[in-house]
Amino acid sequence: MVANPPEWAARIRAERRERLWSQRDLVRRMAEVADPRTRARLPARESMERQLKDWESGRRRPRDPYPVLLSRALDLDEDELFRDGDAADREVDDETDALDLAHRATTSAVGAETLERLEIAADDLAIAYPGTPPAELLSRVRRHLAYVSKLLDGKKTLAEHRRLLVVGGWLSLLAGTCLIDLRRLPAGAARLRTAAQLARHAEHPEIAAWCVETQAWQVLTGGDYRQAVALSQAAQALAPRGSSAYIQATAQEGRAWARLGAGRETRDALKRVAHLVSPLPRPDRPEHHYRYDPAKSDAYMATTLAWLGDPAAASYARQVLARLESAAYGPPRPRRAVSARLDLALALLANDQLDEAGHMALEAMSSGFLVPSNHWRVAEVIEAVERRKLPESGELRQTYRQIRGPGT
């Protein structure tokens, strides 16, 4: 292996290992994603495996058609896979280099200090989720996953092995969530499968439940509301009762019922959420994505009632937005504030407060924190404004096109 392999070589190896793929697995996937004409010209699998070893070691750079096949197989943009290092990469490298140095300083194969630092890093990344662009956060999560994968290959005790599996499960889950935010759905599904696999090996039901709940959220945003109900209920069956995953899955069930217009089932789910969160204290760091903050129930109430067409949604959404933008309730959570604005816009439309509804939608789009997985919610508001032939509809549609790009 080259002493200091180029970044693209290390990235190919890291992306493969994060998916728990062997080199043979990656070669097989490359052949699967090739078009028929290219596939017919590929050499034998054994030859491709030898080439892959050369690429991962940095001895040779892949030539056409291999960069395209590698990018497709790993579900990454070619520029992203073969990009040169930048300042953000160096900052993330600093994080993992610090972990590596601490690991080398311990006498154990892995060591309690290294594991504790990894667990803290996983929590910090989950806390960063509400306020960090998903592509930026994904880069940091990937580097930590690569480090976990490296440690899993080394010597360790059974207890250390399980803790690594748990950290890897949380990080894979967060990576999947970021990818779904970016609407990179095949890659997101692959990350969720890895997280579920690690959860099974670690016997960690809460991670397993979060994987299913995240799938429920994905299919809900895709419009398959019946499947979202079923997955939400499956997540509840997996989760420890009263856990954050259990509460979130219950709330997700309510949102899916609301999209189906099922008032009785929706309100039943909302009552169950209220009962579950009533005894919970406010967490020290409520922005943690996988620790349920009781205040979240109001946000879910606002979304659910807005989707159900209940006039009470507007007052809930105003309260949620005020809290999210008040320093008295913790650090800013701009992505949740965007969702609250969209809830309020939809509720205001139902109450015929049309001017304010358009203003709220415009603020959400102009915030810089609207993620692709919420584009459909903006489109829903714009279509309602256009149906009412409001003068603001032109500006809203133009802003939406600028965010989405050409062809929208």
Side-chain angles (χ1 to χ4, degrees), residues 71-88:
S71 302
R72 288 179 186 169
L74 296 168
D75 197 45
L76 296 171
D77 292 333
E78 187 176 341
D79 289 343
E80 180 181 358
L81 185 58
F82 292 96
R83 74 181 184 275
D84 294 324
D86 55 22

Side-chain angles (χ1 to χ4, degrees), residues 163-281:
R163 287 175 72 181
L164 284 172
L165 292 177
V166 171
V167 172
W170 285 120
L171 291 172
S172 296
L173 173 64
L174 184 56
T177 305
C178 291
L179 286 161
I180 293 168
D181 278 332
L182 295 167
R183 303 311 287 167
R184 293 174 54 187
L185 302 184
R191 294 290 186 181
L192 291 184
R193 285 194 297 271
T194 298
Q197 180 182 353
L198 295 174
R200 283 195 302 275
H201 288 313
E203 297 181 346
H204 199 293
E206 184 155 18
I207 294 176
W210 272 112
C211 291
V212 179
E213 189 280 333
T214 305
Q215 289 177 298
W217 162 62
Q218 178 187 327
V219 300
L220 186 146
T221 63
D224 191 347
Y225 308 128
R226 291 280 176 194
Q227 178 70 352
V229 169
L231 286 168
S232 298
Q233 292 171 343
Q236 291 168 62
L238 284 172
R241 186 168 179 83
S243 65
S244 292
Y246 187 91
I247 300 170
Q248 181 75 10
T250 307
Q252 201 70 269
E253 180 191 346
R255 297 207 307 175
W257 281 125
R259 296 301 294 190
L260 290 165
R264 181 177 61 80
E265 291 85 351
T266 300
R267 289 185 169 82
D268 174 68
L270 290 174
K271 283 181 186 176
R272 284 184 277 138
V273 172
H275 176 74
L276 288 163
V277 302
S278 60
L280 294 180

